[in-house]
Amino acid sequence: MNKTVKNFFLLIVVSFLFSEPYEEYKVGKNYELIKLLDNQIVIDGKLDDPGWNHAEELSDFMSINYSSQELPSKETKVKIVCDSDNIYIGVKLYDNSEEITFKSGSYDDFIDTFDLNSDYFIVEFDSDHDHQTSYAFAVNSSNVQSDYLVYDDDYIDENWNAEWTSKVFVDNFGWSIEYKIPIDIFRFSKNTNQTWGLNLIRYIKRNNEYMAWIVLPEEKIGIVSQYGHLN
């Protein structure tokens, strides 16, 4: 193979690695992270700390059934901030508090405690922005935690575990979660300006209803490659 042909194929490979998959489905799916002074967020589930006031609010969730074009039955609002050591996610899940499905259980028992058993919320970060690997953090309405790793864009490693904090608060408007996740859990570049992949998923048990920030048609393959962006 001559040098010109080799360079051509190298260009194809580089373009594939650094291109944005499914870019046409991600228009407007960008969230701007702000950095707070340390210790401005107290993890109690209430989202009433002044630090949250400076954060952009994300609420454009979609039904997981892309073809139906239906809006989710309940509103979800999310804010994300960080300080020197942690990422904080504040989630408000609007609902009738009397209809929320609660389920106590063991840490990481996703099958028996989460899916089809309780209301829950998941945050997924592709911190290296390689469209292949992400770190996921699930909290259900009883504040049971589960975490897992997504690898090769399509496989789940349920044995991956990390130390992080969450707290749930229930009121007349539904329920809310505050997450505190140490930054050193993640693998990422040291550049000052960087982009991470991001997706957010909510499940309402009584309706068997899934909704997410990013939803693509069913025929589109992959998990991590479908994420929107955290800048």
Side-chain angles (χ1 to χ4, degrees), residues 188-207:
F188 57 92
S189 77
K190 299 303 181 182
N191 296 333
T192 301
N193 297 313
Q194 54 187 283
T195 298
W196 292 15
L198 172 69
N199 205 6
L200 308 159
I201 303 162
R202 178 182 180 181
Y203 177 70
I204 300 176
K205 194 268 181 186
R206 69 178 180 279
N207 301 336

Side-chain angles (χ1 to χ4, degrees), residues 13 33 38 46 62 64 83-84 87-88 94 107 112 116 126 128 165 170 172 216 218:
V13 171
L33 182 70
D38 292 349
K46 296 182 180 180
M62 303 170 61
I64 212 76
D83 59 21
S84 299
I87 291 178
Y88 302 88
Y94 289 90
Y107 163 74
D112 292 330
L116 305 180
D126 172 12
D128 209 31
T165 304
V170 180
N172 293 331
L216 269 64
E218 290 183 4

Side-chain angles (χ1 to χ4, degrees), residues 61-65 68-76 93-95 99 101 114-121 175 200-212 215:
F61 282 73
M62 303 170 61
S63 169
I64 212 76
N65 185 355
S68 73
Q69 298 296 307
E70 292 181 3
L71 293 174
S73 66
K74 299 296 180 181
E75 188 175 20
T76 308
L93 306 108
Y94 289 90
D95 207 341
E99 296 185 303
T101 304
F114 285 77
D115 218 11
L116 305 180
N117 287 292
S118 65
D119 292 11
Y120 64 81
F121 189 83
W175 61 295
L200 308 159
I201 303 162
R202 178 182 180 181
Y203 177 70
I204 300 176
K205 194 268 181 186
R206 69 178 180 279
N207 301 336
N208 193 30
E209 179 182 7
Y210 295 87
M211 63 193 78
V215 179

